[in-house]
Amino acid sequence: MRLLPLFAGVLSLATSYTPLCATAVASAEQRAAEMLSRMTLEEKIGQLYLQHDSAEEALIRSGACGALLNLTDAETADRLQRVAVEESRLGIPLFLGRDVIHGYRTAFPIPLALACSWDEEISYKAAAVGASEAAVVGYNWTYSPMVDISRDARWGRIAESFGEDPLLASRLGAAMVRGYQTPQEGLPVGMAACVKHFAGYGASEGGRDYNSTLIPPRELRDIYLPPYKAAVDAGVLTVMTAFNDLDGVPSSGNRWLLTELLREEWGFDGMVVSDWKSMDEMINHGFCADEREVALRSAKAGLDMEMVGHCYINHIASLIEEGALDMATIDERVMYVLKAKYAMGLFEHPYRTKGRESVILSKEHKNAALEAACRSAVLLKNENDILPLSKGVKVAVIGPLADAPHEQIGTWCFDARDEDSVTPLVALREMLGEDNVLYAPGVSYSRDSSRDGFAAALEAARNSDAVLFFVGEESMLSGEAHSLSDIHLPGAQEELVRAVAKEGKPLVLVLMTGRPVIITDIEAEAEAILAAFHQGTMAGPALAKLLFGEVSPSGRLPVSWPVEIGQIPIYYNHKNTGRPAKPDDFVPLDKLPLAQKQSSLGFTSSYMDLQPQPAYCFGYGLSYGNFEYSDLELNTDKMRMDGAIEVSATIRNTGRREAIETVQLYVRDLVGEVTRPVRELKDYKQIALKPGESCRVSFTLLPEQLAFTGIDMERKVEPGMFKLWIAPNAQSGLEGSFELLP
Ligand code: BGC
């Protein structure tokens, strides 16, 4: 057995870097206070302004701007930073921000795909590589990680999320924070990270971006807030507020969220920035009458820096003059900005890392992106072990994503270039030789509804030994403001899949999408299905390696994959309800006899016409190995409040290939003072086993891991009976039980 880097790596990542360590904070605090004492009101207001449009030297020289966003070239960044540091009265360096979400020039898989790796080391590297490339341009601040929990594949930004589970999103988000903020050559902090969007943005109603969120307070604490908290605990330097209103209060004016929870309860000492004009938008929300009131509400709520809007710069001075705002409130806002700049060493290291341009798209970075792509594909189906294919075969390569360099990069990657992408077609030709690859895309882009290319695709299929069909979505079909009400494959893709399947050749579907898409109507046509999502620059080589067995797929779903859109929101950690649905509690409507009485159906919490379970559940994923779980053992079936339980099981690879298994620990609290989820992920470990090899995987479960928000909104651990599972996914596994003693 080989323990994956996860084991060694994560520990070292967890302990090697603490940006806001006690002494750094103390000295940042002192230095910021000293700086503050020398500042005019105008200079203070300037520090609260993140500017996008006109980066003028005069403005920066006067100290009227503390941060810039999206400068695109190194020379400008360097020049403006020098103006701030060398020509402004106080020499306060600028935050230079950029969205480096899944890589900079070397694009990594989209965050949803990274999450499929369940591997903190992979997220850490994606962030660290992105930071080192972006630092070359001069960026010192990025707006990532996004840790918004999402249960709705219609929401375009699910692509940017780590999925539906709080533990998984917490671990991967915290690892990204460490990755961005880890020291890079010459810089004590690669980039300041910014956890976003605080809070609950992923619950936008109906999956429509920017929509209101209605999250019950207990659900907020148990499901939505933990990943932001984990980022704070990992030392994230900045937090971004969300666009949405949360139970009626927009985040950018939510004092409970930004001050009581974030600062007073969690002890966050970094800086809070708004999202793009999210302060102004409180007027549209109907929460503020005008920009003046916006400035007042946000300043009092605890929002430090305004992104792009002008509410602070236009109104703070007059609000102070009128006595509506006191100087202490503004001083507090400015202190957080200055402290973050001091804490990350920006005063000592304001300039870009010159001379390090060679890191961009370096071999090491491409290899890291390749590894991430290999680890992030999820094998959903593999009938008769049709995969991996053997290299002697002639393949038909079909589908609009087979050779779409731009689309495979995925959403939110401003700086990756199409010409750097290696597509599946290119990689397969290289691996198999030109003659063994018959390429006919069938449709030319994902939304293409023309059938003109069908005949050529069918002919390629006919002349091949196997069909590799790269279906998917263009990158612009997911991401911010790109929600969809229909998440089937667009255009004529489904029709083409059906037509090609009729040729009778083994058919492998590779899904290159920004979200889980509905594939129910074409699933049976394919022997194998690999969910790859948008994998970035190195998608092609990764997919070639996976399809031809150089690497075994090991990804696991971080979200429940719906059968139909009508199931959404769908998530594994739901409540049981008073009438839990059973898997077969549905009747296809055409089988429903006429003149039925009301009592003839099951009276359970299900749809009449659709199974309650997802197509593929959270945690699911196959590999080229075959893992059997046996011999569950608990060292005791009674846990004391100050004790722990050791639970272990034997995992054996009975398959014919080495593969990685993600062993998951789930718990169910059977009776609670409030209803509890049917399963909750509590831990997981990854192991690599050779054929025939087995190992015992054990977990230590502590009472604290059983805590939840009780009836009085206090976090508590309640005695009683629990079930647990050591499982390959959220719907199966070895079951045990224990009692937590009072
Ligand atoms: C997005 C943020 C992003 C910001 C800056 C906003 O529209 O919601 O996630 O960081 O723009 O580009």
Side-chain angles (χ1 to χ4, degrees):
M1 178 195 65
R2 187 165 57 86
L3 289 181
L4 291 189
L6 179 73
F7 285 71
V10 166
L11 284 180
S12 67
L13 303 181
T15 50
S16 67
Y17 176 61
T18 358
L20 288 179
C21 65
T23 43
V25 170
S27 83
E29 175 99 38
Q30 264 169 18
R31 295 173 70 190
E34 197 271 326
M35 177 63 83
L36 184 78
S37 69
R38 295 165 52 209
M39 292 169 83
T40 63
L41 179 58
E42 288 63 38
E43 285 163 337
K44 288 178 186 175
I45 297 169
Q47 286 304 307
L48 309 184
Y49 182 34
L50 166 54
Q51 210 214 13
H52 174 247
D53 31 20
S54 53
E56 291 164 21
E57 285 190 14
L59 189 89
I60 294 163
R61 196 173 288 114
S62 71
C65 170
L68 297 171
L69 160 75
N70 289 345
L71 295 175
T72 45
D73 74 286
E75 284 64 37
T76 313
D78 193 67
R79 177 170 54 79
L80 295 178
Q81 188 68 293
R82 284 180 194 279
V83 171
V85 172
E86 292 159 27
E87 298 175 29
S88 76
R89 190 177 76 91
L90 296 170
I92 302 174
L94 299 163
F95 270 130
L96 297 173
R98 181 77 163 167
D99 290 276
V100 181
I101 308 296
H102 52 108
Y104 181 69
R105 281 286 299 280
T106 310
F108 280 69
I110 55 171
L112 186 65
L114 285 176
C116 296
S117 73
W118 289 47
D119 188 334
E120 291 156 75
E121 189 78 29
I122 296 273
S123 315
Y124 174 90
K125 270 196 212 152
V129 166
S132 81
E133 292 192 359
V136 170
V137 185
Y139 300 122
N140 51 38
W141 184 25
T142 189
Y143 310 115
S144 176
M146 180 183 112
V147 297
D148 303 320
I149 295 293
S150 177
R151 296 167 162 179
D152 194 333
R154 293 169 300 178
W155 188 47
R157 300 195 87 169
I158 198 171
E160 287 177 68
S161 85
F162 293 124
E164 73 191 34
D165 182 68
L167 177 81
L168 186 61
S170 296
R171 289 193 180 173
L172 301 181
M176 271 204 147
V177 168
R178 294 185 198 105
Y180 289 123
Q181 294 190 179
T182 199
Q184 298 282 353
E185 209 174 305
L187 297 173
V189 165
M191 292 182 110
C194 182
V195 69
K196 68 188 189 186
H197 306 85
F198 195 55
Y201 180 42
S204 63
E205 212 178 19
R208 238 174 59 215
D209 209 1
Y210 315 125
N211 204 359
S212 297
T213 57
L214 300 165
I215 309 173
R218 191 168 293 110
E219 189 89 340
L220 184 69
R221 288 211 173 247
D222 289 349
I223 303 288
Y224 289 89
L225 292 178
Y228 309 108
K229 169 76 162 56
V232 167
D233 292 343
V236 74
L237 281 155
T238 69
V239 170
M240 185 187 295
T241 62
F243 286 121
N244 56 288
D245 58 332
L246 184 62
D247 194 16
V249 186
S251 298
S252 298
N254 192 330
R255 191 184 145 77
W256 171 77
L257 195 64
L258 304 185
T259 296
E260 290 174 37
L261 182 78
L262 183 64
R263 301 255 181 232
E264 294 167 8
E265 197 178 314
W266 293 357
F268 178 63
D269 200 38
M271 177 183 95
V272 176
V273 62
S274 79
D275 201 346
W276 188 287
K277 286 184 166 248
S278 68
M279 282 173 49
D280 310 40
E281 290 171 13
M282 294 200 294
I283 301 172
N284 286 344
H285 276 290
F287 187 71
C288 298
D290 50 26
E291 288 192 1
R292 178 190 172 279
E293 192 184 349
V294 167
L296 185 63
R297 285 213 178 217
S298 290
K300 286 191 164 174
L303 198 158
D304 305 317
M305 182 180 279
E306 179 172 10
M307 186 192 289
V308 179
H310 300 103
C311 304
Y312 275 173
I313 53 167
N314 287 345
H315 297 283
I316 285 179
S318 57
L319 284 166
I320 289 191
E321 205 175 309
E322 292 160 22
L325 257 185
D326 53 24
M327 189 62 92
T329 305
I330 294 309
D331 284 352
E332 198 184 341
R333 304 280 72 80
V334 178
M335 275 294 284
Y336 284 122
V337 177
L338 294 176
K339 274 196 282 186
K341 289 184 176 179
Y342 279 113
M344 70 178 287
L346 202 54
F347 281 81
E348 290 76 18
H349 302 273
Y351 303 120
R352 71 192 184 98
T353 47
K354 268 196 177 149
R356 295 202 68 234
E357 285 72 7
S358 61
V359 299
I360 295 213
L361 287 164
S362 67
K363 196 160 178 258
E364 196 194 337
H365 289 185
K366 283 191 188 165
N367 280 342
L370 175 64
E371 190 195 358
C374 287
R375 293 292 312 283
S376 62
V378 185
L379 184 60
L380 298 178
K381 177 175 176 184
N382 194 15
E383 237 167 54
N384 306 322
D385 288 339
I386 187 168
L387 287 180
L389 296 173
S390 76
K391 285 192 184 154
V393 297
K394 181 170 278 205
V395 291
V397 171
I398 296 175
L401 272 291
D403 193 31
H406 179 77
E407 313 309 343
Q408 73 181 41
I409 292 172
T411 186
W412 265 128
C413 207
F414 292 137
D415 301 288
R417 296 189 189 157
D418 301 354
E419 64 265 29
D420 298 324
S421 287
V422 188
T423 67
L425 178 67
V426 168
L428 287 165
R429 279 183 172 152
E430 190 172 316
M431 178 184 269
L432 307 173
E434 298 255 345
D435 295 347
N436 289 321
V437 176
L438 307 173
Y439 175 55
V443 288
S444 51
Y445 60 102
S446 76
R447 288 166 295 140
D448 186 1
S449 54
S450 156
R451 279 108 185 129
D452 294 352
F454 276 31
L458 299 185
E459 193 188 331
R462 212 168 300 138
N463 294 330
S464 73
D465 300 314
V467 176
L468 298 177
F469 203 135
F470 297 86
V471 293
E473 298 176 308
E474 290 141 80
S475 64
M476 60 78 81
L477 294 179
S478 58
E480 185 178 352
H482 289 77
S483 296
L484 291 172
S485 68
D486 182 351
I487 55 170
H488 289 83
L489 287 170
Q493 294 185 84
E494 286 201 1
E495 196 183 324
L496 180 60
V497 169
R498 274 188 225 104
V500 167
K502 288 211 180 77
E503 295 298 328
K505 296 297 166 72
L507 175 58
V508 178
L509 276 188
V510 180
L511 310 175
M512 296 172 71
T513 62
R515 56 164 62 79
V517 286
I518 307 292
I519 48 168
T520 309
D521 292 343
I522 49 168
E523 200 174 357
E525 312 287 1
E527 274 81 5
I529 304 178
L530 186 66
F533 301 100
H534 292 139
Q535 291 195 321
T537 307
M538 299 303 281
L543 290 170
K545 280 177 183 292
L546 288 159
L547 295 167
F548 285 86
E550 285 183 18
V551 177
S552 170
S554 60
R556 296 305 175 99
L557 290 178
V559 282
S560 305
W561 193 292
V563 177
E564 273 308 334
I565 301 163
Q567 289 181 315
I568 296 171
I570 186 164
Y571 48 97
Y572 84 96
N573 44 2
H574 59 83
K575 303 293 181 67
N576 201 36
T577 80
R579 295 186 177 193
K582 298 190 200 85
D584 47 4
D585 262 357
F586 72 103
V587 195
L589 286 189
D590 57 352
K591 299 269 170 346
L592 196 65
L594 291 176
Q596 279 293 288
K597 293 264 193 277
Q598 172 72 23
S599 61
S600 58
L601 290 173
F603 284 105
T604 61
S605 175
S606 54
Y607 297 106
M608 275 168 62
D609 57 348
L610 192 62
Q611 66 182 57
Q613 321 92 319
Y616 301 102
C617 68
F618 175 84
Y620 175 84
L622 304 171
S623 70
Y624 297 151
N626 183 45
F627 293 96
E628 285 181 6
Y629 287 53
S630 65
D631 305 317
L632 181 81
E633 218 174 86
L634 280 72
N635 68 340
T636 166
D637 61 359
K638 307 262 184 263
M639 186 196 263
R640 292 187 0 200
M641 281 291 178
D642 60 351
I645 282 190
E646 294 289 328
V647 49
S648 59
T650 298
I651 319 296
R652 178 182 299 278
N653 183 356
T654 59
R656 278 175 293 154
R657 284 170 182 264
E658 178 171 356
I660 292 170
E661 177 69 353
T662 300
V663 185
Q664 302 158 37
L665 176 70
Y666 292 94
V667 162
R668 176 169 177 186
D669 182 354
L670 291 182
V671 181
E673 61 178 35
V674 294
T675 57
R676 310 282 299 118
V678 295
R679 277 197 190 199
E680 292 174 283
L681 182 70
K682 294 298 173 190
D683 203 354
Y684 55 88
K685 289 183 176 174
Q686 299 190 310
I687 50 171
L689 292 181
K690 295 200 167 65
E693 214 182 352
S694 71
C695 77
R696 291 237 14 116
V697 172
S698 64
F699 297 95
T700 305
L701 187 66
L702 301 167
E704 165 54 23
Q705 288 169 278
L706 307 174
F708 64 98
T709 307
I711 194 77
D712 49 6
M713 293 306 294
E714 292 298 316
R715 195 167 161 77
K716 64 176 52 157
V717 181
E718 204 185 20
M721 289 304 300
F722 290 78
K723 274 188 185 174
L724 62 71
W725 295 262
I726 290 190
N729 58 58
Q731 268 177 16
S732 60
L734 304 173
E735 183 180 310
S737 63
F738 67 92
E739 184 181 4
L740 177 64
L741 300 172

